[in-house]
Amino acid sequence: MDALSHKGMVFGRTYFTPELQRWAMPIRKTIRDAEGKPLFVMTALLKLTSTFDRLISTVRYRQNLVVSVIRESDLYLQYRSQEHDEYNRTYQKPFPPETMERIWTTIFDTYGLNPKTLQNNELLVSFRYQDEHSRRYLSSLKYNAQYQLWIVAQTSFDVIVGEFMETLGLYAGVFLLFGTVFYLLFLFIAQAESKRRADLTYQATHDQLTDLPNRNYLQQTVSSNRIAKDAPPFTLLYVDMDHFKNINDSFGHHYGDRLLVEIANRLKTLLPSDAEIIRYGGDEFMLFTPLCEKQAVLDFATHLIETLSKPYTIDTLRFTIGASVGIALYPQHGENLDMLMRAADIALYASKKLKNSAHIFAETMQEGFLRNVHVEQELRKALDTHELFMVYQPQVDAQERLHGVEALVRWNNAHLGSVAPDLFIPLAEASGLMPNIGRFILESVCTQMHDMHQRLGYDFCVSINISVRQFTDPSFLRHLIETIEKTHIRSLSLTLEVTENLFIEDLHFLVPLLQEIKTMGIQISMDDFGTGYSSLSMLRKLPIDELKIDKSFIDEILKDDVSASTVRNIIAIAKNFGMRVVAEGVESQAQKELLSTLGCDLFQGYYFAKPLLKEELERFLQGKKPISEP
């Protein structure tokens, strides 16, 4: 009757077929004519073991799974796994309605879903279920609308727990076995690593040559052990060997190293057991002693100097060197290691002036230091307060025609007054302010010179000094290009001045950078030539257009044959390399004439003009003949 009333296929009740001697499940479908009237019903018989059992055989852990297929119309079981020996009891009566009711209740309590919703949406839901015998199951239920079947899968919690405990026991045993093996392995590795770490720590905190604690030890151990709350007073002696560099230069580092070992051995014999000695670097040592009374410390330092100044015999050579000592007391001269070391360093500076002497730090020693600190603090505000400004000193040829100008930065401070460049430029370099000041100089000069070129109607060269810190700034080249584009100044009007000593810093880095700058049409000048360490082979590698002779040679050129000879040689070198020569610091007609005779190309100095403000320069240039090309 169901098959006649449905268009699709329907399942019949599972029953025992005598013909097949098997339990089977009929499926029926009505065959209809073109008008939809039933002609006959086609029936097929599905063997349980060849249908659902085969499907269940693909499921993992099927031995623990009970699957039930229930007809929705009358709740008769179509199939139930794991009850093949009780077919009569299983398939001859419907699935218990009270059991289905408990299932619906559990699903509604868990998900808020009723049977109608499950049928319409064919949802798959999983839930924990407890039967009338208080047995607990993990169950899943889904409705198949095509065949109007409920499919229920159940696994007993006891089975799940048992399987879990069995698996857990197996894994726990394996874990304990491997854990024990790994523990023993890691214990061995940890002991080896601990020894290796201790060896590495010792190597990192001790000097390989003298086996003394080094600077790392000073920062890591001494600082934390000696400088702490309620720590007892102590004295720091900063020892620097006098004339040690001469031994390295004259006899080589081999003898210098052996001499350092002898110095270290003498220091070890001098110190009591409660003192420490650090090799701070090179020929510098730091001693920490509990002596705190000033006279006792000075007596100890004097004895130290006497001992270290006695002759050293290495192989057949006999060396005599001295020692200078700077002394700082804790906590009077500093409450932390940095302050204490700075005080000792200032005292050492006073001792080095006299050689073979010892000084205890005094407040008067740091007046110069504090002045530098004050200058640096004011310098940090100088850009914001517009205290820095540019002046320009003309450069002329032998006929006193204008070649260009050198841009020089000046600083006039409200508190310090006019500060000399040789004071604030080194401070700017040391404090990291030079890149910012350099950017200010470049932008100011390019803007002012472009304006002056426009007003005068012709171009002339402007030289700008570039410091080491500027060249090492990664953004230097990009800022240079941006400034040229923004101010519209011609690249050919720019000359960058670099000091000779700059190339000692990093020749391999600077040469490619200078070559790239040269491709932009910017010229390169080497400033203060003759005062540094450049060689002819180095000069040949550098993309230099101009050499500037340092003022110290020009000052003595008329009265010192050595200075005159040096200038002559510098000019000859420049000519051989195709470079022009600029003499700076020319202050008399006689100097200019001699330099002209020697072949100098350009001149700069107070004889022609002092450094001028932009407005003064513009007045100075009125009526001046420029060289046609910069």
Side-chain angles (χ1 to χ4, degrees):
M1 294 305 295
D2 284 341
L4 288 172
S5 63
H6 287 84
K7 292 183 179 180
M9 185 174 64
V10 298
F11 279 85
R13 277 180 53 192
T14 300
Y15 68 99
F16 183 79
T17 59
E19 295 84 354
L20 297 176
Q21 288 294 306
R22 292 179 182 275
W23 285 83
M25 177 172 48
I27 55 174
R28 298 183 176 90
K29 179 173 175 58
T30 299
I31 305 302
R32 304 175 187 275
D33 61 13
E35 297 177 358
K37 295 180 180 180
L39 298 176
F40 54 86
V41 175
M42 183 174 66
T43 302
L45 210 57
L46 300 178
K47 298 177 184 178
L48 289 180
T49 55
S50 62
T51 306
F52 287 101
D53 278 357
R54 185 170 299 171
L55 178 63
I56 294 299
S57 67
T58 64
V59 180
R60 292 183 64 188
Y61 306 112
R62 56 188 176 277
Q63 68 275 12
N64 300 326
L65 191 66
V66 179
V67 179
S68 300
V69 181
I70 306 168
R71 289 205 306 185
E72 187 267 333
S73 60
D74 54 12
L75 297 184
Y76 270 91
L77 278 162
Q78 298 295 126
Y79 172 79
R80 186 176 178 85
S81 64
Q82 295 192 346
E83 293 191 5
H84 296 171
D85 296 334
E86 300 181 12
Y87 284 161
N88 284 317
R89 183 179 65 81
T90 302
Y91 298 113
Q92 294 304 314
K93 58 182 180 180
F95 194 80
E98 62 275 10
T99 301
M100 286 301 295
E101 189 62 34
R102 277 195 296 273
I103 290 176
W104 302 137
T105 302
T106 302
I107 293 174
F108 186 81
D109 291 342
T110 305
Y111 297 103
L113 301 173
N114 56 39
K116 195 67 176 175
T117 304
L118 295 173
Q119 288 177 320
N120 292 340
N121 298 287
E122 295 189 63
L123 299 175
L124 174 64
V125 292
S126 296
F127 53 93
R128 289 181 292 181
Y129 165 71
Q130 185 170 318
D131 65 11
E132 67 274 11
H133 304 294
S134 299
R135 290 176 299 202
R136 297 179 304 156
Y137 297 91
L138 179 64
S139 303
S140 296
L141 180 139
K142 190 179 190 322
Y143 181 72
N144 185 288
Q146 182 177 358
Y147 301 115
Q148 298 179 339
L149 299 174
W150 290 104
I151 303 169
V152 182
Q154 292 180 315
T155 301
S156 172
F157 262 98
D158 293 338
V159 173
I160 294 174
V161 172
E163 288 281 340
F164 173 76
M165 295 305 295
E166 182 180 339
T167 305
L168 179 63
L170 175 63
Y171 280 104
V174 173
F175 175 77
L176 289 174
L177 176 62
F178 278 94
T180 302
V181 173
F182 276 107
Y183 171 77
L184 295 175
L185 177 62
F186 281 115
L187 180 63
F188 172 78
I189 293 173
Q191 290 174 343
E193 182 66 20
S194 179
K195 183 179 181 305
R196 180 173 174 271
R197 188 181 296 111
D199 292 341
L200 289 175
T201 301
Y202 187 87
Q203 292 175 17
T205 56
H206 285 74
D207 176 51
Q208 293 184 358
L209 180 65
T210 62
D211 203 35
L212 291 173
N214 60 15
R215 188 179 302 198
N216 291 332
Y217 180 89
L218 174 68
Q219 296 292 340
Q220 297 174 15
T221 307
V222 175
S223 178
S224 58
N225 290 350
R226 287 192 175 271
I227 301 178
K229 187 177 181 181
D230 301 326
F234 65 89
T235 299
L236 167 62
L237 292 89
Y238 195 163
V239 181
D240 182 76
M241 306 307 297
D242 298 329
H243 310 300
F244 180 83
K245 185 177 181 298
N246 296 338
I247 295 174
N248 268 339
D249 294 342
S250 301
F251 299 94
H253 288 280
H254 171 69
Y255 281 97
D257 290 346
R258 292 179 63 181
L259 182 58
L260 283 172
V261 173
E262 291 296 325
I263 293 170
N265 291 335
R266 291 191 186 184
L267 288 172
K268 290 175 186 177
T269 61
L270 285 171
L271 289 186
S273 58
D274 54 354
E276 289 183 284
I277 177 172
I278 308 290
R279 185 188 176 195
Y280 191 66
D283 60 340
E284 297 176 345
F285 299 86
M286 288 192 176
L287 283 65
F288 293 84
T289 171
L291 293 173
C292 294
E293 200 275 318
K294 289 187 177 181
Q295 190 56 50
V297 172
L298 285 173
D299 291 342
F300 174 75
T302 302
H303 177 57
L304 178 71
I305 293 170
E306 291 174 352
T307 303
L308 294 178
S309 301
K310 292 179 180 178
Y312 298 84
T313 302
I314 300 176
D315 294 337
T316 58
L317 299 177
R318 185 181 176 89
F319 301 103
T320 301
I321 58 176
S324 298
V325 181
I327 303 169
L329 307 177
Y330 174 81
Q332 295 96 310
H333 299 149
E335 296 181 352
N336 57 55
L337 184 60
D338 289 338
M339 293 175 63
L340 205 63
M341 289 172 58
R342 184 178 64 189
D345 192 22
I346 293 172
L348 177 63
Y349 180 75
S351 298
K352 292 292 283 185
K353 291 180 180 178
L354 301 176
K355 305 295 183 184
N356 258 36
S357 63
H359 286 79
I360 297 177
F361 173 77
E363 294 296 331
T364 54
M365 294 179 181
Q366 64 176 358
E367 289 179 1
F369 173 79
L370 292 177
R371 172 173 171 77
N372 287 344
V373 171
H374 181 53
V375 172
E376 181 184 329
Q377 291 173 342
E378 292 296 322
L379 184 59
R380 290 185 181 277
K381 300 181 290 186
L383 284 176
D384 295 331
T385 53
H386 307 290
E387 294 178 351
L388 295 177
F389 60 94
M390 303 306 304
V391 295
Y392 303 92
Q393 188 169 32
Q395 297 174 339
V396 299
D397 66 0
Q399 289 75 42
E400 298 192 18
R401 294 178 302 175
L402 177 70
H403 168 77
V405 295
E406 180 182 4
L408 303 166
V409 66
R410 294 292 184 262
W411 180 25
N412 194 9
N413 180 259
H415 304 290
L416 302 172
S418 179
V419 185
D422 57 359
L423 174 60
F424 74 83
I425 292 296
L427 284 177
E429 290 275 8
S431 61
L433 294 173
M434 202 59 221
N436 287 337
I437 294 177
R439 282 190 283 271
F440 162 78
I441 292 172
L442 186 61
E443 293 171 4
S444 299
V445 170
C446 290
T447 301
Q448 293 178 5
M449 287 300 99
H450 177 261
D451 178 63
M452 187 171 290
H453 291 168
Q454 296 292 103
R455 291 167 64 87
L456 293 174
Y458 60 86
D459 292 353
F460 52 84
C461 280
V462 55
S463 298
I464 304 174
N465 290 282
I466 305 298
S467 71
V468 177
R469 288 296 180 92
Q470 286 177 267
F471 267 115
T472 55
D473 184 359
S475 63
F476 169 71
L477 183 59
R478 175 173 53 81
H479 179 258
L480 175 64
I481 296 171
E482 290 174 353
T483 303
I484 291 173
E485 293 175 349
K486 183 173 67 174
T487 59
H488 306 292
I489 193 169
R490 287 206 314 151
S491 298
L492 292 173
S493 299
L494 280 180
T495 298
L496 300 186
E497 292 191 14
V498 294
T499 61
E500 183 180 2
N501 291 335
L502 176 65
F503 298 99
I504 307 301
E505 299 290 335
D506 195 340
L507 184 65
H508 299 291
F509 167 76
L510 290 170
V511 170
L513 178 60
L514 291 178
Q515 289 173 340
E516 189 169 356
I517 292 173
K518 281 273 291 182
T519 61
M520 297 166 55
I522 299 172
Q523 299 188 56
I524 308 297
S525 172
M526 181 180 285
D527 196 12
D528 300 335
F529 184 75
T531 62
Y533 305 97
S534 59
S535 61
L536 292 181
S537 60
M538 180 189 296
L539 199 62
R540 182 172 51 84
K541 298 175 184 177
L542 300 176
I544 302 296
D545 301 286
E546 174 184 279
L547 289 185
K548 294 191 75 174
I549 305 174
D550 186 70
K551 183 179 183 299
S552 60
F553 296 114
I554 306 301
D555 290 342
E556 304 294 327
I557 193 172
L558 297 175
K559 51 187 176 181
D560 181 28
D561 292 339
V562 174
S563 294
S565 177
T566 301
V567 171
R568 183 182 296 106
N569 291 335
I570 291 174
I571 294 174
I573 291 171
K575 298 301 181 182
N576 287 335
F577 285 108
M579 304 172 186
R580 65 174 175 267
V581 183
V582 181
E584 56 182 358
V586 179
E587 297 183 355
S588 68
Q589 176 71 22
Q591 288 177 336
K592 180 210 169 187
E593 291 177 354
L594 177 56
L595 288 166
S596 298
T597 303
L598 295 176
C600 187
D601 301 300
L602 300 172
F603 309 88
Q604 174 183 344
Y606 275 54
Y607 176 70
F608 307 100
K610 66 177 183 179
L612 305 170
L613 293 170
K614 179 193 171 189
E615 295 76 14
E616 297 172 333
L617 176 64
E618 193 168 341
R619 289 194 296 270
F620 173 83
L621 295 180
Q622 294 295 335
K624 277 281 181 184
K625 287 185 177 181
I627 301 176
S628 58
E629 287 296 331

